[in-house]
Amino acid sequence: MKFFLDTANLADIKYWNDMGLVDGVTTNPSLIAKEGGSFKSIIRDICAIVEGPVSVEATSVDTQGILEEARTYAQWSDNIVVKVPFIKEGVSALPVLRDEGIHTNTTLVFSANQALIAMKAGTSYVSPFIGRLDDIGHYGMEIVSEINDIKRNYSFKTEVIVASIRHSLHVLESARLGADIATIPASVLEKMFKHPLTDNGLERFLADWEAVEK
Ligand code: E4P
């Protein structure tokens, strides 16, 4: 499974990328706003660090506006993927962008049927928002399983990005379901490293090693 980092924070991206764990990055307007500074320069800085796909969200809600934004962002770097909201105007833009060779990530997807439509329309990536579904009492991971089945049944080339990840179990369940990608907040990736038995075990080994004649 590929790991994308779900952040626009340059320090986090550099840190985890240097560890070889970052296959791509996803951003959204909220994540960009959190960092402050110029949108374009943040995205260009991310693209200078990460070799893999970097998702940048279009904020227009009409097809023409989405197309224009996508064409602009695609010029910023070779690895730009344009995030398109799952609305009719966004879906209409998907085949046009595919034919122009611009990669897309359909975002704000909350059902398998929405993902099916986006895949049929030629999206490169589709992002089901798991945590936000869990928040309202739906089992978010269920739609990842459904989307995987649909993708397999019809051999769609679209890659599934499990998004809105809130904790380590979301990543574990994504991997068990064979999701293509999980886009992970840096705080969750940090927690995935932790196990008290690892810390205790290392402490014990190092203490015992002190007693060994070298
Ligand atoms: C990624 O593509 C999404 O924008 C992000 O995962 C949303 O996460 P949130 O629900 O925690 O805002």
Side-chain angles (χ1 to χ4, degrees), residues 40-62:
K40 184 173 180 178
S41 70
I42 292 172
I43 296 299
R44 290 183 74 116
D45 287 347
I46 295 172
C47 291
I49 298 170
V50 175
E51 273 182 34
V54 174
S55 285
V56 180
E57 190 149 341
T59 51
S60 298
V61 290
D62 62 293

Side-chain angles (χ1 to χ4, degrees), residues 141-157:
M141 207 51 75
E142 184 71 33
I143 71 163
V144 175
S145 173
E146 292 170 347
I147 295 167
N148 273 355
D149 287 347
I150 294 167
K151 177 183 149 147
R152 196 174 318 112
N153 286 347
Y154 300 103
S155 304
F156 285 119
K157 298 280 178 276

Side-chain angles (χ1 to χ4, degrees), residues 52-193:
V54 174
S55 285
V56 180
E57 190 149 341
T59 51
S60 298
V61 290
D62 62 293
T63 304
Q64 197 50 39
I66 291 169
L67 290 173
E68 280 165 21
E69 276 189 70
R71 289 168 186 144
T72 301
Y73 303 153
Q75 284 171 11
W76 291 355
S77 180
D78 287 344
N79 50 344
I80 292 285
V81 172
V82 179
K83 264 179 149 180
V84 174
F86 186 85
I87 52 176
K88 286 179 183 162
E89 294 80 357
V91 171
S92 299
L94 294 172
V96 180
L97 294 172
R98 177 199 54 205
D99 293 348
E100 291 181 16
I102 296 175
H103 293 113
T104 51
N105 172 0
T106 304
T107 188
L108 291 168
V109 165
F110 293 94
S111 78
N113 269 341
Q114 290 180 326
L116 169 60
I117 290 168
M119 291 194 278
K120 273 188 73 66
T123 194
S124 320
Y125 301 90
V126 66
S127 291
F129 275 36
I130 300 316
R132 293 192 195 188
L133 280 169
D134 287 355
D135 288 344
I136 59 159
H138 289 262
Y139 179 48
M141 207 51 75
E142 184 71 33
I143 71 163
V144 175
S145 173
E146 292 170 347
I147 295 167
N148 273 355
D149 287 347
I150 294 167
K151 177 183 149 147
R152 196 174 318 112
N153 286 347
Y154 300 103
S155 304
F156 285 119
K157 298 280 178 276
T158 303
E159 289 187 74
V160 179
I161 306 178
V162 182
S164 188
I165 280 180
R166 298 279 159 77
H167 48 70
S168 315
L169 264 184
H170 279 152
V171 182
L172 177 62
E173 289 177 52
S174 303
R176 292 191 69 181
L177 285 174
D180 299 304
I181 302 157
T183 189
I184 310 172
S187 57
V188 173
L189 191 49
E190 184 73 46
K191 286 186 183 128
M192 287 168 63
F193 270 74

